[in-house]
Structure formats: structure tokens, C-alpha cells
Amino acid sequence: MKKLSVIALSLTCVCGTAMAQDASAVIASAQKALGDVKAITYSGAAKDVSFQQCGANSTDMVCRSTHDPMRPINNYVRVIDLAGPASRATGATNNIGAGGSTALAPGTFFQQVTPQQADVSQPWAGSLELYLTPWGFLKGAAANNATVSHSKGHTVLSWSPAVKAPSGKNYVINGYVNDKNLIDEVETWLGENIMGDMHIVATYSGWKDFGGAMAPSKIVQTRGGWPFFDVDVASAKANPADVATLAPAPAPAGGRGGAGGGGRGPAPALVVTTEKLGDGLWKLTTGAGSYDSIVVEFKDHVMLLEAGQSEARALAYVAEIKKLVPNKPIRYVWTSHPHSDHTGGLPVLVAEGATIITQKNNEKFLEGALDTPRTLMTDTLAKNPKKAKFETVVEKKVYTDGSRTVEFYHTWPVPHSNGLMIAYIPKEKVLFQGDFSLPAPGQPGNDHVKALVPILEKLNLDFDRYINVHTSAEPQHKAELWKAVGK
């Protein structure tokens, strides 16, 4: 038996060594195919998107759905310095204003991975943009005990950074090497508030020699299965002499920076303030910068309008609801639209067992995101996994128990989202909305607000109080909305 154990252990060691040797050979062949570069720069036309929102821009001003349209980035330049290792990218954008404004503002795209972020013992979110590239992936594979396997007609290299996920699980990154020793795809996973174990995939196609530099002519990155970043590569150069000065960091101006990874202390505790709007009707806020919610009490359950934007606020609001209405379950949570700052509290409500009320156009995105496993995370839904439940609204839906009524209306066309709704509570004449924010006193309403008023006129809703999810310092009313659009 001892001899058999020794033999088995020896075979395991031999197999492990062989796999490491195989991985080393694959890495060496792939690096050679890419030209054994120490640095590379490439440029062309790119496009990105504000994650879980859209990239409305000077050429396409209407957000049709999640990640549609994407925002063009002109004069895109990226440099990857393997000696650092580090990565920088810049470009020029034309953005529309916040909240649906179609006033244009030139901007600068900037993304980087610093040498500190590229340290694989640091947060994975800050370094993965480097290691998703073919060059960065191979450098990481060579330094982090990569293994080799075969899948989808490719040789697959796999390795893990030293840093672990909050759950204690290893992160994994895979690179798919084709029969020409070129990388067709790199994938990894990252825990994300709405999208769970978010699958991040970068595909590389149209590999060619750009005058001595092998590079893909097309780069596409998706996150959670949704478009995120594209590049059409027009030129590339290996080992540029001016690598240190390419894609210099600009002053921040509307760009998308590299993902951060720490340095901030714990957020201060949220203190919930309650305003009674009527019998069984309350507004919840946490003060300046809050995402406000409304609590509606029905005969045998509670409905929450908006989930509070973050896990922390959603938890605080749920605790407050249980004080206000201690013996009734939270059966429903309504979300005004699918943008990330309005959905961040939903996982808490899913764990609570609430059914999500959303516009029909949002169902595919939210269902796919919230039902993704959360093995990398330690949040409320990861600790108490439940399948998300949905009830959708096409154009109008009314919830009533005979004494309490809430009405939901799809607001379209508007610039901000094709899945946006308003909530109307007829008894107290309350209209609750997200992102149709009133301007500063004396200023005109933006295009988003201007688009809402004709919809409200057609619906002929008898409302007085005008409550925004983004908290306002003072109560707002219909008269102020009408004044903002010149009525």
C-alpha cells in the first residue's frame, strides 16, 4: 500500500510538472508569435459605454436600452508597457449632459493601470484591464503558474492572481490560444453589485502585422454578456521609443478612469429620515446626496418604490420599513429604470423575497444579472441566495387593494432610457420619478424634463407633489415642473 501511495504521489508530481512545462511552452510560443515585444502601442477608433447605462452622444442622443448606444471615442491611443507593467489609453469624446440633457460637452477618455494596480496582490478590478490584453495576459501567465487545458478548439492557459475575491475564492483568468499561437479570447470574472459573478470577455480578431507589430484589427469587450468597449485598430507599433510619453494622463474631464481598488475608509452610517405623506405612505431619505424611496402600505403587504441605490441604503430602508410596518412583508419593489445608480439596492430586496416591478424592456437585463451566481461576493444576496421574481409593465399597470392604489406608467419617448417609468399615487396626488430632475431656480428644464411634460399632459394625472428619487432640498410641486418648461 505504501508503494502504491508513493507511486500515486510521484505520478501526481510528474503530471503537475508536465502541465507546467506544457504551459511554459504554450506561453513561449504565443509570446514569440506576438513578436516578443516589451511594449506596444495601437490606435484607432473606439467606443465605450457608461456601465449599466448607455453612451448617448453627439451622434446618437437617445438611450434606447442598456448599453445602447455606445459612445464614440475619437483619436484613441493605447500603450502597454510590459516592463512596468502598466497601461494607459486616451481619446476624445463628445458627451451629452446628465439626466437626459442633449447639450454637448467635449470630453477626454482616459483609462490606466498603474504599476501599483498591476501588482496581482492588489484588487483585481484595478488590474484586469491590463491582463485582459494578449500581451498582459501572457506576462501574467508566465509569472503566476499557469496551467494548460483544451476547450472550444483552443489551447487554454489559466492562472489566478494572488489576490482573492471577498468570498475567499480564487479569481481565474483564461486565455484561448489558436493554432497560430495567437490569442483569440481572454476571459475572467469579477464580483459586481447587480451582475453577480460578472463574466468579462475580451475577443481579438483580424490579427495582422502592422509593419513589424502583430496586433488584432478588432477588439471587443463585453461584461455580463453586454457590450462594453470596442476598438477598430488602424495602426500599431512594437517597442516604441517614446513609450513613456504616449497616452499621457490628462486633467480629469468626463473620462472613464481605470477601476479603482481601495484607499477609501468605511462609509459613514446612513441615518434614515421619514416623512409621512399620508396614512400608510412615507418618503425615506438619508439627507444630502440621497436616493429617496417611498413606502406604500397595503392591507397585507408593503410596496417599496425604488430600492435605495446601494446595498447600504437598501438595508437601512428595509430596517426602517420593518419599524414602520412591523407585521407585513415587503412584497414588491418598483424600479424606475435600469441604470446602475437606481438598481444597486435591488439585490437586498431580492434576498428579502420581494418581486421586482419593472418596465418590460428591462426584464432581460435585470433577470440575467440578478440570477447570476454570486460566488465571489459576500453581499446580502450572496449570503441569502434567491431567484429574482418579476412583474413587468408594458405601458400601464395599477396595483390596488380597494383602498390604496399605485399606478405605474411607461414614459416614452424620452432621451434617458427606453425602460423608464413614473409612479403615481392618486389619493395623495403624488408623482414619483427618477431622473426627471427639476433645474436650479431660474434655469430651464433639460430635454429629459421637457419630454416628460407632454406625456403627463396626455395622461392627465391629477398630481401636486413632485418627488424625485435624487433628493431635493425642498419639497417640489407640479407648478415648479410646469414653470421649468415655460408653462
Side-chain angles (χ1 to χ4, degrees):
M1 289 295 292
K2 288 183 179 179
K3 288 183 178 180
L4 288 174
S5 298
V6 171
I7 292 169
L9 182 60
S10 299
L11 287 173
T12 301
C13 294
V14 168
C15 289
T17 303
M19 287 185 69
Q21 289 174 340
D22 287 347
S24 297
V26 174
I27 293 166
S29 296
Q31 289 175 328
K32 183 177 180 180
L34 295 183
D36 289 320
V37 298
K38 295 178 176 60
I40 189 166
T41 182
Y42 54 86
S43 60
K47 52 185 178 178
D48 74 343
V49 71
S50 183
F51 190 51
Q52 294 180 38
Q53 300 200 19
C54 79
N57 57 81
S58 60
T59 59
D60 200 345
M61 295 186 181
V62 176
C63 290
R64 290 177 289 277
S65 63
T66 303
H67 293 201
D68 179 18
M70 298 179 77
R71 176 185 70 167
I73 302 170
N74 299 318
N75 304 319
Y76 175 82
V77 177
R78 184 170 190 178
V79 57
I80 298 166
D81 181 3
L82 297 176
S87 167
R88 300 181 303 277
T90 60
T93 63
N94 272 296
N95 312 305
I96 64 169
S101 167
T102 52
L104 297 179
T108 300
F109 172 87
F110 177 65
Q111 181 210 64
Q112 71 172 344
V113 178
T114 66
Q116 180 183 3
Q117 289 174 314
D119 182 341
V120 294
S121 67
Q122 297 300 307
W124 190 224
S127 60
L128 61 82
E129 285 288 358
L130 170 66
Y131 295 115
L132 281 171
T133 70
W135 307 273
F137 172 79
L138 290 171
K139 181 178 177 68
N144 291 282
N145 301 313
T147 60
V148 66
S149 60
H150 298 276
S151 178
K152 300 191 292 188
H154 288 73
T155 300
V156 184
L157 290 167
S158 303
W159 58 273
S160 294
V163 66
K164 294 184 183 296
S167 67
K169 185 177 179 180
N170 286 332
Y171 291 112
V172 175
I173 183 166
N174 302 318
Y176 292 79
V177 184
N178 65 26
D179 58 2
K180 295 182 176 63
N181 295 315
L182 299 170
I183 293 180
D184 287 339
E185 179 181 302
V186 182
E187 65 178 352
T188 190
W189 290 262
L190 183 70
E192 202 279 331
N193 182 38
I194 292 298
M195 308 191 84
D197 293 351
M198 180 174 63
H199 192 201
I200 303 175
V201 181
T203 57
Y204 302 94
S205 59
W207 282 92
K208 67 178 185 178
D209 187 339
F210 287 89
M214 285 297 296
S217 56
K218 182 71 175 180
I219 301 171
V220 175
Q221 186 185 141
T222 60
R223 296 199 171 198
W226 295 86
F228 181 69
F229 194 79
D230 288 9
V231 186
D232 289 309
V233 177
S235 64
K237 184 177 181 180
N239 303 319
D242 53 350
V243 64
T245 58
L246 288 169
R256 176 170 67 90
R264 294 175 293 179
L270 294 171
V271 177
V272 180
T273 301
T274 303
E275 178 189 351
K276 188 171 183 178
L277 302 172
D279 290 337
L281 189 70
W282 302 269
K283 179 171 79 74
L284 305 182
T285 187
T286 58
S290 175
Y291 283 68
D292 294 349
S293 296
I294 289 179
V295 180
V296 186
E297 181 183 5
F298 288 84
K299 289 178 180 177
D300 61 354
H301 67 276
V302 173
M303 176 185 288
L304 178 64
L305 306 183
E306 281 279 311
Q309 180 254 351
S310 67
E311 180 183 34
R313 190 174 283 108
L315 287 169
Y317 285 176
V318 167
E320 186 67 19
I321 291 168
K322 291 180 178 180
K323 293 177 186 176
L324 293 169
V325 193
N327 299 312
K328 295 180 183 179
I330 305 172
R331 184 175 297 173
Y332 295 106
V333 57
W334 169 79
T335 184
S336 62
H337 61 299
H339 292 176
S340 56
D341 59 326
H342 290 264
T343 58
L346 287 178
V348 171
L349 277 300
V350 172
E352 193 69 24
T355 295
I356 298 169
I357 301 170
T358 190
Q359 207 280 324
K360 182 66 178 175
N361 292 335
N362 310 326
E363 184 179 20
K364 179 181 177 182
F365 169 71
L366 288 175
E367 184 175 36
L370 290 166
D371 285 341
T372 299
R374 303 172 86 83
T375 66
L376 299 172
M377 307 175 70
T378 58
D379 69 339
T380 303
L381 187 55
K383 294 174 182 176
N384 185 23
K386 289 186 179 177
K387 185 175 176 61
K389 299 175 292 184
F390 294 88
E391 291 186 10
T392 59
V393 179
V394 179
E395 295 302 324
K396 174 184 177 180
K397 196 163 190 173
V398 177
Y399 287 79
T400 185
D401 62 4
S403 59
R404 168 61 68 193
T405 298
V406 180
E407 302 175 6
F408 299 114
Y409 295 92
H410 181 209
T411 50
W412 181 255
V414 295
H416 197 53
S417 169
N418 77 335
L420 206 153
M421 291 189 291
I422 55 172
Y424 173 57
I425 305 168
K427 186 177 180 180
E428 286 79 12
K429 297 185 178 182
V430 168
L431 185 77
F432 187 49
Q433 47 73 32
D435 288 358
F436 293 104
S437 303
L438 292 183
Q443 297 297 312
N446 65 28
D447 298 294
H448 193 42
V449 173
K450 291 176 183 177
L452 175 63
V453 170
I455 295 170
L456 295 178
E457 289 178 321
K458 185 176 180 180
L459 292 173
N460 196 30
L461 302 179
D462 182 17
F463 70 97
D464 175 40
R465 189 74 181 270
Y466 185 76
I467 300 177
N468 189 18
V469 176
H470 296 271
T471 195
S472 55
E474 301 294 336
Q476 297 178 332
H477 302 84
K478 179 180 180 179
E480 292 156 306
L481 170 63
W482 254 235
K483 184 177 180 180
V485 297
K487 290 186 176 289

